[in-house]
């Protein structure tokens, strides 16, 4: 498939944000986007064209039944060099999400090439101040006009780009509400898929946590409300003495690419990492006894987010005096250094756009 280019004339392009460090996450968008359509069992009409609103019939399937999936990725720039981080993993995960949501597969090679072409057009939009990047949002939605509940026969896949600073403005430990009321996902459900409804379902728990002064919600398993699963939009890690633990990948947990990368980086530096179930009681006991030394969340947008306090069943538990842990800081520095091409990429994760 040949990609068509319809570029915005230079003199009609938007001004670039002059302070990317202070941008609200995902509030500014570049001049162009990539899109392609799916009908009659195939993808077609790939286009790098102006960033432009869609116009939908009110009966479009995704507006009613949430048949939509997305990804989050980042591009970094240092001088003339532009770097992507394990981009094929995001498109493979998009295909896994598509499979669960009965949506069509994309060709990983083709969309990766399309993304590179889009980025070549938009390279001036990639900020290069420390902590900044160009956040990329590949998305697939069901576009058939129909109210009967079945999977759509038509889709749009698109990628939009947004220059961003850090997701959490400062790299400081955040307080988290451990919810024994809400669950993020249930066994047999769609927790492992990056589908829109998972995020919509997290809004009420997030709102209630924010009203109590917490920035994220930690979810427990839906069955017993016993084992920790995820923290807001992030996977979660806990350092018990010298053992770094993260819950194993089940169908209720998003298989984070940041999660996977941090596991490998921690192991590289000799830390024991175990993917095992961990109960909230073990965490609380560990915080009380001093065995829990660090807690942090991990995700594309936030990268690594130190967690200082857990609030559970009316009590507050502060991890290691609420300071940023040594391993948390080291993994953050290491990962962001690799992602922006400043640190050695021993695993061959970084893809440079030429
Ligand atoms: C990401 O970490 O990229 C996500 O998709 C989370 C989103 C809420 C920003």
């Amino acid at each position: 498939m040949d990609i068509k280019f319809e570029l915005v004339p230079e003199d009609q392009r938007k001004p670039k944000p002059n302070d990317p460090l202070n941008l609200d996450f995902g509030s500014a968008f570049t001049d162009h986007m990539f899109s392609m359509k799916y009908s009659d069992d195939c993808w077609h009409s790939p286009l790098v064209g102006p960033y432009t609103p869609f116009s939908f019939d009110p009966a479009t399937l995704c507006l009613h039944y949430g048949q939509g999936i997305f990804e989050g990725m980042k591009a970094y720039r240092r001088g003339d060099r532009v770097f992507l981080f394990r981009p094929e993993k995001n498109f493979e995960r998009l295909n896994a999400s598509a499979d669960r949501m009965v949506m069509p597969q994309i060709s990983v090679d083709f969309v990766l090439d399309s993304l590179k072409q889009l980025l070549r057009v938009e390279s001036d939009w990639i900020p290069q101040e420390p902590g900044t990047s160009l956040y990329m949002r590949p998305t697939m939605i069901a576009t058939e006009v129909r109210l009967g509940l079945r999977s759509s026969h038509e889709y749009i896949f698109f990628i939009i780009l947004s220059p961003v600073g850090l997701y959490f403005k400062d790299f400081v430990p955040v307080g988290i509400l451990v919810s024994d009321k809400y669950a993020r996902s249930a066994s047999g459900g769609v927790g492992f898929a990056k589908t829109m409804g998972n995020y919509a379902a997290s809004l009420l728990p997030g709102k209630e946590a924010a009203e109590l002064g917490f920035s994220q919600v930690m979810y427990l398993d839906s069955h017993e409300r016993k084992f920790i699963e995820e923290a807001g939009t992030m996977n979660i890690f806990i350092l018990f003495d010298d053992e770094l633990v993260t819950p194993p990948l089940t169908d209720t947990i998003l298989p984070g690419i940041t999660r996977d990368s941090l596991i490998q980086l921690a192991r590289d530096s000799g830390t024991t990492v175990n993917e095992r179930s961990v109960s909230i009681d073990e965490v609380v006991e560990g915080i009380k006894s001093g065995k829990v030394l660090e807690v942090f969340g991990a995700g594309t947008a936030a990268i690594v987010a130190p967690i200082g306090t857990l609030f559970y069943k009316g009590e507050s538990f502060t991890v290691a005096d609420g300071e940023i842990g040594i391993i948390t800081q080291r993994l953050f520095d290491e990962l962001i250094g690799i992602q922006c091409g400043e640190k050695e990429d021993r695993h061959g994760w970084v893809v440079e756009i030429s």
Side-chain angles (χ1 to χ4, degrees):
M1 258 193 311
D2 285 336
I3 302 174
K4 192 170 152 200
F5 288 81
E6 274 173 21
L7 300 190
V8 178
E10 294 280 351
D11 60 351
Q12 288 171 30
R13 295 191 183 178
K14 304 176 217 174
K16 314 272 182 300
N18 44 23
D19 188 6
L21 276 176
N22 285 313
L23 279 175
D24 244 6
F25 186 90
S27 59
F29 299 95
T30 69
D31 292 298
H32 298 92
M33 60 193 281
F34 171 79
S35 63
M36 63 181 180
K37 294 179 177 162
Y38 183 92
S39 56
D40 296 325
D41 298 327
C42 71
W43 288 107
H44 58 89
S45 313
L47 172 72
V48 170
Y51 181 100
T52 196
F54 293 119
S55 153
F56 290 124
D57 188 289
T60 300
L61 269 171
C62 68
L63 301 178
H64 298 269
Y65 305 123
Q67 201 188 8
I69 55 177
F70 66 93
E71 275 300 319
M73 314 164 70
K74 283 177 173 173
Y76 293 84
R77 185 155 73 89
R78 290 293 177 271
D80 288 340
R81 305 179 70 192
V82 171
F83 305 101
L84 301 177
F85 184 73
R86 309 184 78 184
E88 70 292 345
K89 292 283 165 214
N90 289 90
F91 292 127
E92 285 165 10
R93 187 171 66 181
L94 189 88
N95 273 339
S97 301
D99 198 38
R100 178 62 180 83
M101 305 308 289
V102 200
M103 299 171 85
Q105 299 287 294
I106 46 156
S107 153
V108 171
D109 288 344
F110 180 75
V111 291
L112 184 48
D113 181 57
S114 308
L115 175 63
K116 289 180 185 171
Q117 308 242 29
L118 175 64
L119 285 171
R120 282 187 199 111
V121 171
E122 299 291 59
S123 59
D124 287 354
W125 278 93
I126 310 175
Q128 51 177 336
E129 290 79 0
T132 65
S133 59
L134 189 70
Y135 187 78
M136 305 175 281
R137 177 49 67 85
T139 305
M140 192 196 297
I141 49 173
T143 52
E144 190 180 344
V145 175
R146 182 188 165 86
L147 285 186
L149 177 60
R150 66 150 164 73
S151 65
S152 181
H153 291 164
E154 291 166 17
Y155 298 86
I156 291 180
F157 170 82
F158 60 92
I159 307 176
I160 53 173
L161 310 174
S162 172
V164 296
L166 283 178
Y167 190 66
F168 296 114
K169 282 260 169 295
D170 304 302
F171 188 70
V172 291
V174 294
I176 235 171
L177 176 70
V178 182
S179 181
D180 50 8
K181 179 175 174 192
Y182 298 108
R184 195 190 79 92
S185 69
S187 171
V190 296
F192 69 97
K194 206 163 170 68
T195 186
M196 295 170 178
N198 284 340
Y199 293 79
S202 75
L203 294 176
L204 181 61
K207 174 173 172 271
E208 291 182 5
E211 281 163 4
L212 295 170
F214 299 98
S215 74
Q216 293 280 327
V217 178
M218 185 190 279
Y219 295 101
L220 305 175
D221 74 282
S222 65
H223 185 54
E224 296 179 89
R225 300 286 197 281
K226 181 171 173 192
F227 295 101
I228 62 169
E229 297 223 313
E230 285 192 27
T233 60
M234 300 177 291
N235 295 115
I236 181 124
F237 285 82
I238 294 155
L239 183 69
F240 291 95
D241 292 326
D242 52 7
E243 181 202 20
L244 187 61
V245 177
T246 191
L249 293 181
T250 60
D251 64 357
T252 61
I253 294 199
L254 189 80
I257 293 146
T258 307
R259 173 191 179 279
D260 180 71
S261 308
L262 293 176
I263 290 174
Q264 296 194 52
L265 291 179
R267 285 187 178 141
D268 288 350
S269 60
T271 305
T272 302
V273 186
N274 287 320
E275 296 175 66
R276 66 168 174 86
S277 300
V278 43
S279 70
I280 185 63
D281 290 343
E282 184 185 355
V283 176
V284 164
E285 284 312 310
I287 295 176
K288 285 191 195 154
S289 70
K291 200 173 157 58
V292 168
L293 303 178
E294 305 184 22
V295 181
F296 58 90
T300 301
I303 309 181
V304 170
I307 293 170
T309 303
L310 299 185
F311 190 79
Y312 179 55
K313 290 198 189 292
E315 263 192 272
S316 218
F317 302 93
T318 298
V319 184
D321 298 331
E323 300 294 321
I324 299 175
I326 294 169
I327 293 203
T328 308
Q329 182 75 56
R330 201 186 62 217
L331 287 172
F332 176 73
D333 293 342
E334 176 85 9
L335 185 57
I336 200 162
I338 296 171
Q339 289 178 332
C340 64
E342 286 174 351
K343 290 210 160 148
E344 191 196 349
D345 173 26
R346 287 184 304 273
H347 293 276
W349 285 335
V350 171
V351 173
E352 185 168 350
I353 298 181
S354 47

